[in-house]
């Protein structure tokens, strides 16, 4: 992946985050952004602790990785067109 595609994916991720925060209350938006985009830093520490306690904390990290992969694929397809 080139440095340009990384910048594009980061901009896409930031845009998605803004949309999530506009549509949802902040406490729910932080969890949604964590699950959809892998942005665990915005999620309340107590919420992360609960996710860890029940063994589902990986949801907050894995989903963001998938978004980055899908974003990279889409970017490369558009670039080839």
């Amino acid at each position: 992946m080139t440095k340009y595609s990384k910048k594009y994916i980061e901009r896409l991720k930031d845009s998605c985050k803004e949309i999530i925060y506009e549509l949802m209350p902040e406490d729910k938006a932080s969890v949604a952004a964590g699950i959809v985009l892998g942005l665990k830093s915005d999620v309340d520490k107590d919420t992360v602790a609960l996710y860890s306690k029940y063994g589902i904390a990986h949801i907050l990290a894995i989903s963001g990785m998938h978004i980055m992969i899908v974003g990279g694929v889409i970017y490369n397809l558009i670039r080839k067109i």
Side-chain angles (χ1 to χ4, degrees):
M1 214 183 295
T2 67
K3 66 179 182 178
Y4 299 111
S5 61
K6 288 180 185 178
K7 287 181 184 179
Y8 174 78
I9 292 170
E10 284 298 320
R11 283 197 321 251
L12 179 62
K13 194 173 183 180
D14 290 340
S15 296
C16 290
K17 179 182 174 182
E18 287 177 23
I19 292 169
I20 290 170
Y21 274 84
E22 286 176 12
L23 296 175
M24 303 177 86
E26 188 172 347
D27 60 329
K28 292 183 173 132
S30 65
V31 173
I35 292 171
V36 174
L37 304 171
L39 300 173
K40 195 165 65 169
S41 61
D42 292 348
V43 181
D44 181 32
K45 303 257 186 257
D46 294 332
T47 304
V48 173
L50 284 172
Y51 275 68
S52 295
K53 178 180 176 181
Y54 292 106
I56 57 173
H58 64 280
I59 291 173
L60 298 173
I62 295 173
S63 298
M65 179 186 68
H66 289 109
I67 293 295
M68 294 296 283
I69 291 170
V70 170
V73 169
I74 291 171
Y75 174 80
N76 287 323
L77 287 173
I78 292 172
R79 203 173 90 196
K80 287 181 182 182
I81 292 173

